[in-house]
Amino acid sequence: MSNKDDGIVNIHGKQYLTVARRISDFREQHSDYGIHTEILSVNDQAVVCRATITDANGRQVSSGIAEENRNASNINKTSAVENCETSAVGRALAFFGLAGTEIASADEVAGAITQQKNNETNADFDFLAS
């Protein structure tokens, strides 16, 4: 399914790059460019973050926005801000052109699969409780 050393993950026949891989490629290819993040919204339910990519002159060349629900996973219960920032950076880099074959990062897809499984499990328990 994946080779963690190269940062490429194959999920259902599509290639996704990890955010770490995207950042590494970006730094290698554009050492004079910048990555900037901003928390747009944070509360006890969700976090929204924007990442901006700037060129050597400080002009915005790409951006990405992400949202994380604090109840989506055990990790998000303690680290939703960090996950949100990582997702926003991954999306900004994808829109910049560092995407593999997909805009979503391997990290985002893995999180979505986990969330879907959690929702299915919770739905099973909700059915049993009624």
Side-chain angles (χ1 to χ4, degrees):
M1 181 169 165
S2 71
N3 178 351
K4 68 180 182 177
D5 293 335
D6 68 8
I8 300 171
V9 179
N10 186 312
I11 301 173
H12 302 296
K14 296 181 181 179
Q15 289 188 333
Y16 297 87
L17 298 181
T18 63
V19 176
R21 166 67 185 269
R22 290 177 185 187
I23 292 170
S24 177
D25 290 350
F26 174 76
R27 295 287 185 214
E28 184 177 304
Q29 297 168 24
H30 303 282
S31 62
D32 55 344
Y33 281 33
I35 300 173
H36 312 273
T37 60
E38 174 186 8
I39 302 299
L40 301 177
S41 172
V42 60
N43 60 43
D44 60 341
Q45 298 296 312
V47 178
V48 178
C49 184
R50 174 188 296 131
T52 304
I53 308 300
T54 56
D55 67 14
N57 297 316
R59 291 180 301 218
Q60 179 178 322
V61 294
S62 181
S63 68
I65 293 177
E67 178 181 37
E68 291 288 340
N69 182 320
R70 290 187 182 274
N71 294 319
S73 67
N74 284 333
I75 281 275
N76 271 8
K77 288 179 182 172
T78 60
S79 303
V81 172
E82 295 87 341
N83 284 341
C84 193
E85 182 179 45
T86 300
S87 293
V89 168
R91 295 184 64 76
L93 290 170
F95 291 130
F96 181 68
L98 300 172
T101 62
E102 302 298 320
I103 294 295
S105 69
D107 312 73
E108 285 182 282
V109 174
I113 291 170
T114 299
Q115 176 62 29
Q116 183 177 9
K117 287 179 182 176
N118 287 344
N119 287 344
E120 290 170 0
T121 300
N122 289 340
D124 290 343
F125 287 125
D126 290 344
F127 174 75
L128 293 174
S130 45

